[in-house]
Amino acid sequence: QFPLHLDIEVTTLCNLLCPMCPRTLMIAQNNLLNLGIMTSKDFQYLIDQGADHGLYSIKLNYLGEPLVHPNIVEFVRYAKEKGIVDVMFNTNGALLTEDISERLLGAGLDKLFLSFDSPYKKQYEQIRVGTKYENVLFNIKNFYKLKVKKYPHVQVRISMVMMSDDSELRKDFINLFQNTADAIGFDEYR
């Protein structure tokens, strides 16, 4: 049986070095040696094969940041044109500019999962090493505005990795994103 869903690592590159990410640890231990991006030819081969066998859903990342890939919009578009019903990926949101947001939505992206690991600037920037709180918050809010205005079917989920069970932190996170997401999630890191 061919799978209904595939996770496709379109790039092993990332623009951040977050301490809780397995990718960061793998790099520190020299266990992530094949850094790079998937070619368009390889991506099209996978999608063509999947479309021929009833592939329903794809997620365009595993450990890498898909927005680093220069062809991510074209990958979304190609998958949708080949009949893939559900196209999604996770992102840290740092590269989610207004232009890329508009292009991704126009290409047919179905779901976007955003990781934003603290409602507080100082803590966020300690966790999401290499980016700025205000920039990413702006990117997320802008994406959601565009989505609501033109692409209401697209699902946006924002999640936070909880370093401890802190009800105040959880409440502040929900308040920050209650009008900027279709779902808010929490993952525990221990």
Side-chain angles (χ1 to χ4, degrees):
Q1 296 287 349
F2 198 89
L4 291 175
H5 174 85
L6 289 177
D7 285 353
I8 302 172
E9 182 78 296
V10 297
T11 182
T12 52
L13 303 174
C14 187
N15 55 322
L16 304 181
L17 288 170
C18 306
M20 76 292 195
C21 180
R23 184 187 174 283
T24 301
L25 182 61
M26 291 169 76
I27 288 173
Q29 297 172 342
N30 289 323
N31 290 333
L32 189 60
L33 304 176
N34 296 322
L35 295 174
I37 63 172
M38 179 178 279
T39 67
S40 294
K41 181 180 176 183
D42 287 343
F43 181 79
Q44 290 170 1
Y45 173 78
L46 287 174
I47 297 303
D48 290 348
Q49 184 180 8
D52 288 345
H53 290 90
L55 180 64
Y56 177 86
S57 171
I58 59 172
K59 184 166 74 74
L60 299 176
N61 71 293
Y62 172 57
L63 295 175
E65 168 55 52
L67 294 179
V68 169
H69 199 296
N71 298 329
I72 191 65
V73 172
E74 289 74 22
F75 286 0
V76 170
R77 182 174 289 109
Y78 189 81
K80 294 305 290 182
E81 287 172 354
K82 288 295 184 169
I84 307 302
V85 174
D86 205 9
V87 178
M88 65 192 90
F89 62 82
N90 296 59
T91 179
N92 58 47
L95 302 174
L96 192 64
T97 63
E98 186 170 355
D99 176 60
I100 195 78
S101 294
E102 185 72 57
R103 291 172 51 221
L104 282 167
L105 288 163
L109 186 69
D110 296 292
K111 293 179 183 148
L112 186 67
F113 308 122
L114 292 140
S115 300
F116 196 94
D117 292 308
S118 178
Y120 315 127
K121 176 182 170 54
K122 183 177 179 184
Q123 185 179 37
Y124 172 85
E125 291 179 357
Q126 288 172 338
I127 296 169
R128 292 290 168 174
V129 178
T131 194
K132 296 289 181 208
Y133 175 91
E134 297 86 359
N135 295 349
V136 178
L137 189 58
F138 174 83
N139 291 348
I140 292 169
K141 290 183 181 258
N142 185 64
F143 183 90
Y144 194 74
K145 268 196 305 190
L146 288 169
K147 167 260 206 267
V148 168
K149 185 176 179 181
K150 294 183 181 179
Y151 308 93
H153 66 283
V154 175
Q155 295 178 18
V156 176
R157 179 181 186 260
I158 298 175
S159 63
M160 178 173 76
V161 173
M162 297 286 292
M163 301 296 185
S164 64
D165 189 17
D166 183 335
S167 60
E168 192 67 27
L169 179 71
R170 191 180 298 256
K171 185 179 120 207
D172 289 345
F173 189 79
I174 291 169
N175 287 337
L176 181 63
F177 289 113
Q178 66 184 348
N179 297 316
T180 312
D182 301 307
I184 297 173
F186 300 94
D187 298 313
E188 290 186 19
Y189 178 76
R190 299 202 188 264

